[in-house]
Amino acid sequence: MTHLGDPTPGSDTRLPPRAWLRSDAPVQSLDGDWAFLLHDADPGDDLDGPPPFAAVDADASGWDRIPVPSHWGLRGHGHPTYTNIRYPFPLDPPHVPDANPTGDHRRVFEWHPDFCAGGRTLLRFEGVESLATVWLNGTEIGWFTGSRLMTEFDVTDHLVDGENVLAVRVHQWSAASYLEDQDQWWLPGIFRSVSLQGRPANGLDDVFVRGDRDPATGAGTLDVRPRGGWPVTVRVPELGIDETWADATEVAMLPLDAVDAWTAETPRLYDVEVSTEAETVRLRVGFRRIEIIGDRLLADGRPLIFRGVNRHETDPDRGRVFDEDYVRGELALMRRHNITAIRTAHQPPHPRMLELADELGFWVVLECDLETHGFWDVEWTGNPADDPAWRDACLDRVRRTVERDKNHASVVMWSLGNESGTGRNLAEMAGWIRERDDSRPIHYEGDYGGAYTDVYSRMYPTIEEVASVCGEQTMPVHEIGPAEGARQRAKPFVLCEFAHAMGNGPGSLADYEALVEQYPRLHGGFVWEWRDHGIRTRAADGTEFFAYGGDFGEPVHDGVYLMDGLVLSDGTPSPGLGELAAVWAPVTLEHLGERSWRVRNRQHTLGTDHLELHWRIEDDGIRLTDGIVALPALAPGEEGTVEVPLDGLPDAATERWLTLEVRWRDAPPWGDAGHIVSRAQRPLRAAPPCPPRRGRATWDGDALGEAVFDRRGGLLRWRDLDISGPLPELWRAPTENDQLDGQGSYETADPALTHGRGDESTPASSVRWLERGLDRLQHRVLSVERTDDGLVQRVRSMAAHSAQGIETTFAWRLDGDGLRLHTDIRPFGPWDCTWPRVGARIGLPGALADERVEWFGTGPAESYADSGEAAYVGRFEAAVDDLGVAYGRPQETGHRPGLRALDLGPLHLRAIDAGATGLPGFQLDRHTAQERTGVGHAHELPPSRGLWLYLDAAQHGLGSRACGPDVLPRYALWPRAVSWTVVFG
Ligand code: GAL
C-alpha cells in the first residue's frame, strides 16, 4: 500500500514522540554502509504487500552502496533541486507526480535478544526526507513523514536472533512535501542516524525537565516529569538534590534556595540524573525564566534582545547531514562575531546542535518543520495550514518538535513554522504547545493579527515600519486593521528575518541596531541568513565551484537565491559578518572629548571584568605607542567613562589615529585570549597638506620626465610600469541587492504615499542602470592640453542614445613628489537614476595581480556607504586576489574607501585629502566591472586581460533589496560632481 497521497503523518505503529535523551540503555547504530537502488519513479510494486526488495531473501548484490546518513543526490544518484517558494511539482494536494525519485535502502544487521534482555527494542529514525516505509524481515513495520523529525517503532516482535533485514523505501515527494516548502535544497534520503534503542523493562521512556529561576530572589525550582517505570530518583549533586518518588502521585517541583542562571552569556548548566532501577538518563539543565511582561520579553528578569541569525543546516558536501566538529565550529564562529541567538530556520536541527547551543550559549527560537509558502501563489487556496485534512499532520509535527527538544535551556521560544499563511491548524498547534509547555512564548510570523502567538514578528520591515510599530504610529500595521494593530503593538516586537545577506551586503545593519537601541519594545532580530547553501561541484574541466539552483539541470528552480548567507558556502566569513560583529558590539565606545570615552555595557548578563581596553596610536598607520587600560566595572545596561592616556606624543608630519579595542583578557570558550569584541577610532591629527612641489622635467616628445602619454592624453607608462587609462567609469557589476526588487525602492518614492516602503513599481537598480547604459559608456576626448609640467585631458562620457553623461577632467602634473593626477567629474543632462559608482579605471600589467598589495586606508575588508561599521583606518596587506570576495555569483566586491597610500610591486600611489576633495576608494580586480556582469559563476569569467585599478570618489550603498528594503536615500549615490587627487610616486 502506498502512502504517497496521504495527508496523515504516518502509520499508527509510530510510537508517541519523546525527548532525545542520553540514556544508559543499550543502543546499536545502524549507520554505515547500506545497499541502495534509485528508481526514477515509484516502482508501483508495493500495492499488494511488501515490495520484492523487502523480502528477506531478496538479492541486492547488484545494488549500489550508500552511506547512511546521507542524501542520495549528493552521492552520485540523481541530484539536488532548489526552489524557494515554488513547489517543483504541480499544486495538486495531497498528490505528487508519478515521476517520484524513490530510493530503496537495505541493510542486514545482527541482533540478539540479549541486546536488551527482558525489554523492548525500538527502531529509531532521526531524519528521513520525505516519506519512508519500513519493512523488517519482510514485514511492514510502518511509514512516516516529517523529514526533520524523529520517529520510533517498537520492532521487538519482528526481530530475530541473528541476521535481520531492514528495508526502507524513501520517496522524494509525498503529501508531506506540501508541508516542507522551505527555501532550501530538496534533498531526499536517510540523512540522520538510524539506530536500535533498547528499552529496558521499567525504564524511563521520557522525561521533561525544566529549570526555573526567580530573577528577583535567585531561588529556583526543578520540574522533572518522568514517564515510564517507578520508582524514579532525581539527583543533582551540585544542588544537593537526591529525591526518590515511588510513583506519579509523589512527583513534585523541587525547590532550590539559590541557583545560578543560565543565559546565553553565562551558559551555566547543572548535571541532572534521572533514573529508575533499570535506566539512567543524564541531562544538562539550565535555570532561567522566560516571560513576557507588558510589551517586554524578559530572560532572567532582563530584556532578551535577539542578536541572531537564521541558521539552516547546510554543508557543501554533506547537505543536511550532521557533523559535530563542523557545527561546533559554526557556533563558535557566531559567538566570535557577537551573535548570541539562532532561529532554527525553518525546521528543528540535529538534536546535538541544541546541546551545543546550551553549552556555548545561544537564545534559540526553535522552529517546527512546516512551510507551505507555495500556496501564497494561489492566494492560499487549499493551504494545508488551514485545511482540516491536514490537521493531524500539523499537530503531529509540532508535538514531535516540542517533545524532542523540550529539555534545552537554550530554547526560549517555540515557532510554529514559517510562511504557511494562517489558519486553524496553526492556531491548534499553538494551543497544543500552551497546554504542554507554558514556559516558553510562541512565535509565528504569519499570525499577522496576533490571534494565537505571543510576540509580534515581522520579516524585512523597513526602518519606518519598525519605528511606526514601536514609536510614533505613522503607518497602519502590516496587513491588519487598527484593532488587531493595537494588539500587536502591545506585544514584544521581533524581526524574525531582516537584512538579507545575499551576495555583497547587507547594508544598513547599523540603522536597524539603532532602532533596537531606541525602542525597548523591539527585541532585536535574526539576519537572513547564516550561510550560503552552495554545493561543492566540479565543472566539466574539473574546476571546483559551488552550485546553486539550476546547476543540476532542474527545470524549475530559483537560481542563486539560496546563496544569501553571512558565511560563504566554503565557510569563509563574508565582510557582512564582520559588519554584523561591529554593529552588535556587546560594549560600545563613544568619544566624549579629549581623552575621555563613554563605555556602555550592552550585554544581557555579563559585566565588564573579563574585558580590557587596548589602545594604540598610529602615525600613517605605523604604531607609535600602545597600552592597556582597565574598563570600569559595569553591570549590564550601565555606562561609565574611561580615560585614554595621550601624553608625551611626539610631533610629526603624519596622519595620526587613536584606535581602541575591547578584548577578552582570557580565552572565551569559543575563541582565543585577546578576542576583540568592539573597536572605535578617532583621528588625532589630519594628514599634513601636500601642495605640489615644482618638478624639473620638461616635455621630450610624448615623455614628461618618466611619464609617457599618448596623443589623446592617456598615460602609457610611468617609470617601469605600463599603464593604460584612466577611463571614467560609472558601472559596477550589480550585486544581488542591485539586481533584485524584493521590496520597493526609495529612488522615486514619495514617502507620504508609500508609507516609507518605497515605490513598488521602481525596477531594480541594475535594471534602471542598464536601461540608461551605465555599463557601456562611450568616451570622447574633448581636448588635450599640454602645459609646462603636465597635461590636461577632458573627456565626455555618455551611453548610446542618451543625452546625459559626465564630463571628466584628468589634470596631470609632474612635481617633486611624482606624477600627480587630479580628477574632476561633473554630471550633465537629465539624469534620473542613481549611479553604481563614480570613478576612473586604470589598466595595469596582469602580472601585478600575483603580487601582494599593501595599503594605508580603510580595511581590512571591503566597505560601502551603508556598511562601514567594521572598517577602520590602518595599514593593511593582502594578496590581490584576496581583496575581493568569492560571492556565490561574480558581482561588485572589494571597494575600500578612504585610500591614503597603496604599494603594489612597482606601483606606489598616494591619495591627497585636500579639503572638499575627498580621498578616493580603491579596488583591484583581474576583471572589469563589465566582464563581471551577468556571469553565473567565477569559473565562467572570461580570461583576464590585465589588472584593473579602480579609484572611486563614491559608490552606491548596498541595501537589502534582494528581499528587503532598498538602499536608504542617505546612502544612495545620486549624480554629483566629485574630484580627488592621487600621486604616482
Ligand atoms: C523569507 C523566507 C526565507 C527566505 C527569505 C529569502 O521570506 O522566510 O525562508 O526565503 O525570505 O531569502
Side-chain angles (χ1 to χ4, degrees):
M1 153 92 189
T2 176
H3 311 285
L4 289 173
D6 188 345
T8 60
S11 59
D12 293 343
T13 49
R14 297 174 307 147
L15 292 173
R18 62 193 189 111
W20 189 84
L21 294 168
R22 298 202 170 267
S23 149
D24 62 357
V27 176
Q28 181 178 332
S29 171
L30 297 180
D31 290 351
D33 188 38
W34 289 48
F36 177 76
L37 186 67
L38 182 66
H39 310 275
D40 294 342
D42 177 46
D45 54 13
D46 55 343
L47 296 176
D48 305 305
F53 92 98
V56 173
D57 55 0
D59 179 14
S61 55
W63 289 24
D64 280 319
R65 312 293 302 179
I66 202 169
V68 167
S70 73
H71 302 280
W72 67 65
L74 300 181
R75 295 286 172 169
H77 303 276
H79 58 75
T81 300
Y82 166 59
T83 58
N84 170 15
I85 297 171
R86 295 181 289 173
Y87 289 101
F89 48 80
L91 257 178
D92 181 22
H95 307 289
V96 290
D98 295 340
N100 186 359
T102 302
D104 285 343
H105 299 69
R106 231 179 106 94
R107 154 113 207 208
V108 178
F109 63 91
E110 289 275 317
W111 177 89
H112 302 288
D114 61 2
F115 170 67
C116 186
R120 314 290 299 171
T121 299
L122 312 189
L123 174 61
R124 173 187 283 186
F125 293 89
E126 298 195 7
V128 182
E129 181 172 327
S130 82
L131 181 152
T133 313
V134 184
W135 294 266
L136 183 60
N137 298 323
T139 305
E140 182 170 333
I141 298 299
W143 64 280
F144 63 95
T145 57
S147 299
R148 275 67 63 162
L149 299 167
M150 186 166 95
T151 305
E152 289 178 323
F153 299 99
D154 185 339
V155 292
T156 321
D157 300 337
H158 304 282
L159 287 161
V160 295
D161 190 358
E163 204 166 82
N164 288 267
V165 178
L166 179 60
V168 185
R169 171 161 287 175
V170 180
H171 288 99
Q172 167 151 17
W173 310 120
S174 67
S177 305
Y178 286 97
L179 305 177
E180 296 177 359
D181 191 27
Q182 292 95 343
D183 179 4
Q184 60 186 6
W185 294 104
W186 300 89
L187 280 174
I190 305 177
F191 73 98
R192 285 187 191 149
S193 292
V194 182
S195 59
L196 295 174
Q197 301 276 331
R199 303 298 318 123
N202 206 36
L204 268 174
D205 289 336
D206 195 12
V207 57
F208 190 1
V209 182
R210 278 174 294 191
D212 178 61
R213 178 181 185 272
D214 182 340
T217 63
T221 49
L222 183 64
D223 180 5
V224 180
R225 300 192 196 174
R227 171 162 73 80
W230 299 99
V232 169
T233 300
V234 179
R235 280 196 199 92
V236 190
E238 257 187 291
L239 295 171
I241 294 179
D242 189 343
E243 190 80 22
T244 299
W245 298 317
D247 56 40
T249 62
E250 290 192 3
V251 173
M253 297 269 199
L254 301 171
L256 298 160
D257 291 343
V259 70
D260 293 337
W262 182 99
T263 73
E265 291 166 14
T266 54
R268 171 75 160 97
L269 294 167
Y270 290 86
D271 290 317
V272 174
E273 203 181 274
V274 186
S275 49
T276 64
E277 221 177 58
E279 183 176 10
T280 297
V281 161
R282 291 192 171 79
L283 303 108
R284 305 197 71 203
V285 175
F287 292 82
R288 84 283 178 281
R289 182 177 297 173
I290 307 297
E291 58 192 332
I292 292 178
I293 297 183
D295 60 4
R296 305 294 152 83
L297 173 66
L298 307 177
D300 197 44
R302 284 186 298 281
L304 198 178
I305 307 296
F306 294 113
R307 295 197 168 92
V309 289
N310 280 279
R311 176 182 178 274
H312 269 108
E313 288 182 314
T314 181
D315 175 296
D317 304 301
R318 289 181 298 262
R320 288 190 272 277
V321 175
F322 179 78
D323 179 272
E324 177 154 345
D325 290 344
Y326 178 88
V327 174
R328 190 182 271 281
E330 279 194 315
L331 300 193
L333 186 64
M334 289 179 194
R335 290 300 312 251
R336 291 201 294 277
H337 289 85
N338 297 329
I339 294 167
T340 50
I342 295 173
R343 174 173 176 234
T344 68
H346 298 298
Q347 55 230 294
H350 189 281
R352 174 75 182 128
M353 181 259 161
L354 296 171
E355 290 186 336
L356 295 176
D358 290 344
E359 176 197 321
L360 292 169
F362 286 91
W363 309 112
V364 174
V365 174
L366 199 288
E367 197 148 272
C368 182
D369 192 355
L370 176 68
E371 175 159 340
T372 64
H373 202 175
F375 287 84
W376 176 65
D377 281 328
V378 291
E379 271 89 49
W380 298 109
T381 309
N383 180 17
D386 191 40
D387 182 341
W390 299 83
R391 173 183 176 274
D392 288 353
C394 292
L395 279 170
D396 177 83
R397 279 171 188 255
V398 80
R399 270 193 216 116
R400 285 158 75 193
T401 300
V402 171
E403 295 298 351
R404 198 198 71 167
D405 297 335
K406 59 191 178 238
N407 293 325
H408 293 281
S410 56
V411 176
V412 294
M413 191 136 74
W414 298 114
S415 177
L416 303 177
N418 186 57
E419 297 189 313
S420 302
T422 188
R424 64 196 105 174
N425 296 338
L426 287 158
E428 268 204 68
M429 290 164 73
W432 183 87
I433 297 178
R434 278 204 178 87
E435 290 279 307
R436 180 66 176 140
D437 178 23
D438 60 3
S439 73
R440 295 160 171 119
I442 298 174
H443 167 273
Y444 173 60
E445 186 267 352
D447 179 27
Y448 294 150
Y452 47 88
T453 47
D454 299 317
V455 295
Y456 183 39
S457 174
R458 286 278 295 124
M459 48 173 78
Y460 310 104
T462 58
I463 299 277
E464 292 84 349
E465 183 184 338
V466 175
S468 173
V469 169
C470 297
E472 262 184 62
Q473 302 181 6
T474 52
M475 297 164 61
V477 181
H478 179 70
E479 304 235 341
I480 49 177
E484 287 170 313
R487 171 159 72 187
Q488 294 294 53
R489 281 189 161 115
K491 291 180 181 174
F493 187 34
V494 172
L495 311 184
C496 69
E497 294 175 30
F498 79 107
H500 200 249
M502 186 174 185
N504 193 342
S508 279
L509 285 168
D511 298 297
Y512 282 89
E513 184 59 16
L515 295 169
V516 175
E517 292 270 335
Q518 190 179 351
Y519 297 114
R521 179 183 303 162
L522 179 59
H523 287 76
F526 300 82
V527 169
W528 186 268
E529 69 176 307
W530 170 243
R531 191 176 186 126
D532 284 356
H533 297 216
I535 289 179
R536 199 189 311 271
T537 312
R538 290 197 182 275
D541 68 355
T543 313
E544 180 181 292
F545 72 102
F546 292 94
Y548 49 75
D551 285 336
F552 300 107
E554 312 106 279
V556 175
H557 65 83
D558 287 306
V560 74
Y561 210 56
L562 80 179
M563 306 292 260
D564 52 4
L566 293 163
V567 172
L568 306 185
S569 303
D570 68 354
T572 307
S574 76
L577 184 60
E579 179 74 0
L580 193 67
V583 166
W584 281 350
V587 169
T588 58
L589 299 161
E590 184 194 340
H591 186 237
L592 292 174
E594 285 297 302
R595 57 190 58 205
S596 195
W597 292 73
R598 174 181 293 131
V599 188
R600 275 200 316 126
N601 179 3
R602 306 199 307 163
Q603 296 168 106
H604 177 273
T605 336
L606 285 175
T608 44
D609 39 342
H610 61 294
L611 302 171
E612 54 191 16
L613 184 73
H614 290 235
W615 60 271
R616 62 173 184 267
I617 293 171
E618 286 163 331
D619 275 357
D620 284 347
I622 294 162
R623 185 164 308 213
L624 181 66
T625 166
D626 57 25
I628 301 176
V629 289
L631 282 173
L634 300 173
E638 280 185 357
E639 56 182 51
T641 50
V642 67
E643 304 275 312
V644 179
L646 295 175
D647 306 317
L649 296 175
D651 218 19
T654 52
E655 182 176 344
R656 178 170 288 168
W657 282 82
L658 167 67
T659 305
L660 306 181
E661 285 168 351
V662 178
R663 298 170 175 237
W664 277 73
R665 188 176 303 107
D666 304 319
W670 33 261
D672 295 331
H675 172 75
I676 299 169
V677 298
S678 178
R679 182 182 283 115
Q681 260 196 328
R682 184 173 117 64
L684 297 181
R685 190 177 51 219
C690 180
R693 291 193 287 130
R694 228 193 124 57
R696 251 159 280 164
T698 50
W699 284 98
D700 177 5
D702 289 335
L704 177 66
E706 291 177 273
V708 181
F709 289 86
D710 65 19
R711 287 280 137 172
R712 303 176 64 78
L715 182 64
L716 291 176
R717 200 168 172 74
W718 165 246
R719 299 201 164 139
D720 295 331
L721 198 60
D722 288 330
I723 292 189
S724 66
L727 213 57
E729 187 58 272
L730 297 179
W731 185 244
R732 74 178 183 196
T735 65
E736 314 296 355
N737 290 314
D738 292 337
Q739 285 206 85
L740 297 169
D741 56 357
Q743 287 186 20
S745 168
Y746 296 92
E747 277 198 26
T748 57
D750 176 345
L753 295 178
T754 60
H755 295 300
R757 292 191 63 80
D759 181 352
E760 304 279 343
S761 66
T762 307
S765 293
S766 71
V767 173
R768 289 164 63 80
W769 296 338
L770 285 164
E771 259 171 27
R772 286 152 185 79
L774 301 192
D775 59 325
R776 48 180 167 82
L777 294 182
Q778 299 181 8
H779 310 281
R780 182 164 62 88
V781 174
L782 299 178
S783 62
V784 179
E785 190 191 323
R786 289 188 176 180
T787 60
D788 284 355
D789 57 357
L791 173 152
V792 178
Q793 182 200 38
R794 287 175 53 236
V795 184
R796 203 169 160 86
S797 311
M798 302 165 78
H801 199 66
S802 72
Q804 70 272 21
I806 51 173
E807 223 170 83
T808 306
T809 305
F810 292 117
W812 296 96
R813 182 166 176 188
L814 190 68
D815 70 23
D817 293 317
L819 186 61
R820 184 176 286 246
L821 168 63
H822 179 77
T823 306
D824 192 279
I825 300 181
R826 279 152 207 266
F828 64 85
W831 281 105
D832 66 345
C833 73
T834 54
W835 285 344
R837 71 171 352 133
V838 53
R841 188 181 86 195
I842 295 169
L844 299 171
L848 284 189
D850 300 327
E851 304 267 344
R852 289 187 76 78
V853 55
E854 196 189 315
W855 74 99
F856 174 37
T858 65
E862 65 193 17
S863 65
Y864 294 80
D866 53 1
S867 71
E869 298 296 315
Y872 58 96
V873 175
R875 202 166 270 278
F876 306 96
E877 205 211 333
V880 167
D881 286 332
D882 292 340
L883 289 174
V885 179
Y887 292 116
R889 212 180 44 82
Q891 58 194 277
E892 160 63 30
T893 178
H895 172 67
R896 287 168 174 81
L899 178 68
R900 277 87 171 159
L902 180 146
D903 296 291
L904 173 67
L907 173 70
H908 305 286
L909 198 75
R910 283 175 58 206
I912 311 291
D913 190 356
T917 315
L919 293 168
F922 84 99
Q923 194 170 1
L924 282 162
D925 198 332
R926 289 182 193 262
H927 291 95
T928 64
Q930 285 77 0
E931 286 170 338
R932 280 186 167 271
T933 301
V935 175
H937 303 90
H939 67 272
E940 292 160 4
L941 284 163
S944 164
R945 296 181 295 121
L947 178 65
W948 308 98
L949 168 66
Y950 285 89
L951 296 172
D952 289 318
Q955 280 224 15
H956 190 56
L958 298 174
S960 223
R961 203 182 176 196
C963 191
D966 201 358
V967 175
L968 293 179
R970 59 181 173 277
Y971 308 120
L973 174 56
W974 284 97
R976 62 182 163 95
V978 297
S979 57
W980 71 90
T981 302
V982 291
V983 180
F984 291 78

